[in-house]
């Protein structure tokens, strides 16, 4: 069900943005509408420069070290996402960005994402915890037989390599 929401959102977002331009343009006029779009772009660039690429480097290094990104990384990461949304022209993305910048909304997002992270052998993974054969989700071992882990090569696949030496 989650996968059907994303394509609909991607298709409806541009239509919503166009409708937003029409509504705001009628209410404020062309010049003020364009000024608002440019102001949100400049604000997005300023926020992005302020946070910089440093936050992405910190998240990557913590992930490589097997540490789950903590709350102290959430605020700058959400600010980067909000900055990117502000850079995109449109009023709906600006509203989403402003909501992301509000601390209670960030806390709500943290509570919803934190339970999805699972620390796995020196890294972290999103999704449900692995389950052992006895159904215990707290087990650190996932028991696989050879047929569970092994895959037969497809001779008709162009990636099989049989035609590379011809």
């Amino acid at each position: 069900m989650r996968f059907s929401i994303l394509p609909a959102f991607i298709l409806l977002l541009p239509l919503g943005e166009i409708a937003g331009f029409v509504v705001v343009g009628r209410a404020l006029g062309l010049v003020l509408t364009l000024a608002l779009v440019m102001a949100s772009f400049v604000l997005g660039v300023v926020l992005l420069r302020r946070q910089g690429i440093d936050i992405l480097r910190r998240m990557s290094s913590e992930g490589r070290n097997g540490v789950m990104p903590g709350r102290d990384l959430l605020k700058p990461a959400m600010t980067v996402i909000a900055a990117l949304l502000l850079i995109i022209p449109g009023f709906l993305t600006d509203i989403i960005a402003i909501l992301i910048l509000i601390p209670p909304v960030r806390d709500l997002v943290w509570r919803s994402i934190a339970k999805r992270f699972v620390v796995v052998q020196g890294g972290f993974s999103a999704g449900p915890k692995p389950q052992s054969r006895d159904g215990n989700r707290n087990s650190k071992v996932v028991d696989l037989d050879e047929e569970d882990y092994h895959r037969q090569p497809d001779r008709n696949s162009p990636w099989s390599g049989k035609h590379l030496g011809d």
Side-chain angles (χ1 to χ4, degrees), residues 13 27 42 46-47 51 62 69 78 100 109-110 115 128 137 143:
L13 182 64
V42 170
V46 167
L47 281 173
Q51 291 302 320
E62 283 193 11
M78 296 292 277
I100 289 174
V109 170
W110 173 252
K115 59 186 169 192
R137 288 192 179 273
D143 188 19

Side-chain angles (χ1 to χ4, degrees), residues 47-155:
L47 281 173
L48 195 57
R49 285 195 74 173
R50 196 176 106 217
Q51 291 302 320
I53 198 87
D54 184 52
I55 182 63
L56 299 175
R57 286 187 184 135
R58 282 178 51 197
M59 288 181 75
S60 177
S61 70
E62 283 193 11
R64 272 186 262 122
N65 293 334
V67 177
M68 186 175 81
R71 280 189 101 138
D72 58 328
L73 286 178
L74 178 70
K75 182 180 177 189
M78 296 292 277
T79 305
V80 167
I81 292 169
L84 292 173
L85 288 172
L86 285 169
I87 290 172
I88 297 171
F91 295 107
L92 293 178
T93 52
D94 291 351
I95 291 169
I96 294 169
I98 291 168
L99 287 174
I100 289 174
L101 292 173
I102 298 171
V105 174
R106 276 197 304 260
D107 291 339
L108 179 69
V109 170
W110 173 252
R111 283 192 299 263
S112 66
I113 350 179
K115 59 186 169 192
R116 295 177 190 225
F117 284 110
V118 178
V119 177
V120 181
Q121 294 182 3
F124 63 91
S125 166
K129 292 183 178 181
Q131 185 169 216
S132 66
R133 286 191 184 231
D134 61 357
N136 183 4
R137 288 192 179 273
N138 295 326
S139 174
K140 294 183 180 183
V141 176
V142 177
D143 188 19
L144 296 175
D145 292 332
E146 186 175 339
E147 62 269 3
D148 293 333
Y149 189 69
H150 181 64
R151 192 174 85 182
Q152 295 293 330
D154 183 5
R155 295 181 188 198

